[in-house]
């Protein structure tokens, strides 16, 4: 089973603030010091971008708001290494454990309560999938844990409560509750004298 992210239809600024509050709580961003966390910046800008998209075509103010969003998005991406575009569908309570090297495709779908560690890539398998791009990206269920350096690519579904281990490369569907791990490391060659006591 794959639980889609909580649908969010932002009727106004108060709804935006509530969702941002939930994101900050999920990422333990409490007080002014918490607002300095890269995850806080990424989610605030992401939700603001979603709000702007929901009010598309709202006149000159909307145009200025979109320009501001892209400026903020670029600043967050360059500073924290978290690439989270407003067109992605991300549920509530998603937690980014560490910054740097997190790339989420603009059409990826991520369920509620997912944990994402640093070095994670969620995207297309190859450029040939661009024709049906919205059907070619990963769909991640609720409460999934994606460990350090994991790569999830292509039109795959990760079931609810699954775990993707460190540096695993996922190109096939993962059933709910399953754990995917990378191949264990192997010693390919010993340098001269390495086996001497």
């Amino acid at each position: 089973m794959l639980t889609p992210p909580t649908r969010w239809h932002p009727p106004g600024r108060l709804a935006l603030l509530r969702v941002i509050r939930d994101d900050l709580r999920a990422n333990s961003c409490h007080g002014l010091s918490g607002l300095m966390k890269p995850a806080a910046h990424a989610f605030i800008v992401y939700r603001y971008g979603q709000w702007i998209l929901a009010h598309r075509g709202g006149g000159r103010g909307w145009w200025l708001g979109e320009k501001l969003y892209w400026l903020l998005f670029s600043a967050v991406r360059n500073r924290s290494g978290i690439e989270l575009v407003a067109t992605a569908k991300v549920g509530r309570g998603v937690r980014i454990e560490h910054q740097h090297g997190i790339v989420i495709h603009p059409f990826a779908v991520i369920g509620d309560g997912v944990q994402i560690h640093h070095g994670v890539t969620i995207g297309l398998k190859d450029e040939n999938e661009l024709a049906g791009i919205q059907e070619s990206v990963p769909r991640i269920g609720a409460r999934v844990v994606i460990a350090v350096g994991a790569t999830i690519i292509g039109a795959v579904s990760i079931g609810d409560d699954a775990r993707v281990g460190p540096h695993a490369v996922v190109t096939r569907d993962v059933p709910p509750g399953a754990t995917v791990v990378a191949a264990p490391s192997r010693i390919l060659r010993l340098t001269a004298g390495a086996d001497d006591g």
Side-chain angles (χ1 to χ4, degrees), residues 15 25 49 66-67 86 100-101 103 125 134 161 167 170 178 182 190 194:
R25 285 179 178 171
E66 184 184 32
K67 294 296 182 185
H100 293 305
V103 179
K125 191 173 183 180
Q134 295 194 36
D161 302 299
H167 304 288
V170 180
L190 286 173

Side-chain angles (χ1 to χ4, degrees), residues 104-167:
I104 298 172
H105 191 276
F107 292 111
V109 178
I110 299 175
D112 298 337
V114 172
Q115 291 183 36
I116 301 173
H117 293 257
H118 64 278
V120 167
T121 299
I122 301 171
L124 293 177
K125 191 173 183 180
D126 57 52
E127 292 184 1
N128 294 329
E129 296 177 331
L130 290 175
I133 194 167
Q134 295 194 36
E135 293 77 32
S136 301
V137 294
R139 297 178 59 85
I140 297 170
R143 301 171 303 280
V144 173
V145 177
I146 307 174
V148 175
T151 301
I152 303 170
I153 52 176
V156 299
S157 295
I158 309 294
D160 295 346
D161 302 299
R163 299 178 69 88
V164 179
H167 304 288

Side-chain angles (χ1 to χ4, degrees), residues 8-61:
W8 177 51
H9 302 285
R13 293 185 180 94
L14 285 179
L16 173 68
L17 294 176
R18 288 192 201 103
V19 176
I20 289 175
R21 178 195 62 193
D22 292 344
D23 291 332
L24 296 179
R25 285 179 178 171
N27 286 276
S28 302
C29 299
H30 306 293
L32 292 177
S33 61
L35 290 176
M36 300 307 294
K37 289 185 175 183
H41 301 163
F43 278 108
I44 289 171
V45 172
Y46 168 73
R47 298 301 182 186
Y48 170 69
Q50 282 195 319
W51 186 78
I52 288 294
L53 286 175
H55 294 84
R56 174 172 285 177
R60 184 178 301 174

